[in-house]
Amino acid sequence: MRLMYEPFDMFHKDETLRSLDGCICRICVSDDPLEICRMVGFANSYISMLAQSRMLQLQAKEVSSDD
């Protein structure tokens, strides 16, 4: 997972969602245990980035509403 300082814009959010979907698809069709393990790791990273982006978005919204 990469460290983010601001939430994803729509382009990066969509790109991350597509990558997560690709990982899930590979997990479902792969016959290679090592590939499945790797895809689980990548999927965890993508979902963590999406969650972190959403938390940053909510935090920014909270700060702006306090003003």
Side-chain angles (χ1 to χ4, degrees):
M1 182 176 90
R2 67 181 194 192
L3 183 61
M4 296 187 307
Y5 297 101
E6 54 188 49
F8 283 150
D9 57 19
M10 286 304 292
F11 173 79
H12 286 102
K13 187 187 294 186
D14 187 54
E15 186 177 81
T16 305
L17 284 168
R18 288 176 187 267
S19 297
L20 176 60
D21 186 52
C23 289
I24 293 168
C25 290
R26 289 304 307 161
I27 289 168
C28 292
V29 301
S30 181
D31 294 328
D32 182 7
L34 184 58
E35 181 184 21
I36 294 169
C37 186
R38 287 180 180 153
M39 290 298 110
V40 168
F42 285 128
N44 278 325
S45 292
Y46 291 132
I47 198 129
S48 294
M49 287 189 296
L50 288 167
Q52 183 181 7
S53 174
R54 181 64 180 151
M55 288 185 280
L56 288 170
Q57 187 179 35
L58 292 171
Q59 186 179 40
K61 186 187 236 183
E62 185 177 293
V63 167
S64 67
S65 69
D66 288 344
D67 292 339

